[in-house]
Amino acid sequence: MNDDAQRLPVVTDQDVVRVRQLVRTVAVAVKLSLVDQTKLVTAASELARNTLVYGGGGEVEVSRVHNDRRAGIRIVFADQGPGIADLDLALTDGYTTGGGLGLGLSGARRLVDEFEIDTEPAKGTTITVVKWCR
């Protein structure tokens, strides 16, 4: 179940800052712990920067989600860029091309509870992450 989704464009460095601020605000609203807020904002920053740098810009959608037991946040990063040619390599621990925080996709994946990536060469990339309240 999804309510109150908020969308932001990611086409400038300032947009990455706005994504971080929105994610922090929603994380506080759903009562994520401070540690989980920090993890989620860090992952969102890395993924928003990837959307900008490697995807040529795109959009981020932030929404509250609920299941039978708890609340959380879902963030969807989408671009129409070149896609990820070698997804296995891109998800390898320690792999980074040097533009972001140095986390790479594998680092961002470790910071969230759910991580799904859909990418196809020349068709763009969509990454969906979820962080649940403990």
Side-chain angles (χ1 to χ4, degrees):
M1 179 175 24
N2 168 358
D3 53 28
D4 68 21
Q6 297 179 66
R7 288 181 178 82
L8 291 175
V10 179
V11 293
T12 68
D13 287 336
Q14 190 59 39
D15 292 334
V16 175
V17 173
R18 280 192 268 280
V19 168
R20 288 175 60 98
Q21 292 167 337
L22 175 59
V23 169
R24 171 89 53 201
T25 299
V26 177
V28 169
V30 301
K31 299 184 176 20
L32 283 181
S33 71
L34 186 56
V35 168
D36 283 343
Q37 289 174 37
T38 302
K39 287 179 179 179
L40 184 61
V41 169
T42 301
S45 182
E46 179 79 1
L47 295 171
R49 178 141 318 276
N50 286 357
T51 299
L52 177 63
V53 173
Y54 304 112
E59 184 177 77
V60 174
E61 178 184 285
V62 180
S63 55
R64 295 178 182 211
V65 290
H66 307 274
N67 65 17
D68 292 336
R69 301 186 329 258
R70 57 195 171 171
I73 301 173
R74 178 174 54 228
I75 312 170
V76 181
F77 303 84
D79 68 61
Q80 299 300 312
I84 301 171
D86 188 340
L87 186 56
D88 289 337
L89 177 62
L91 288 169
T92 301
D93 279 352
Y95 179 79
T96 179
T97 54
L101 298 171
L103 290 174
L105 292 176
S106 66
R109 179 171 60 179
R110 278 194 302 276
L111 294 172
V112 297
D113 298 319
E114 297 176 21
F115 183 98
E116 181 181 315
I117 187 163
D118 181 21
T119 187
E120 198 174 323
K123 296 210 174 167
T125 300
T126 301
I127 298 175
T128 304
V129 300
V130 178
K131 189 75 173 167
W132 294 106
C133 290
R134 307 260 167 248

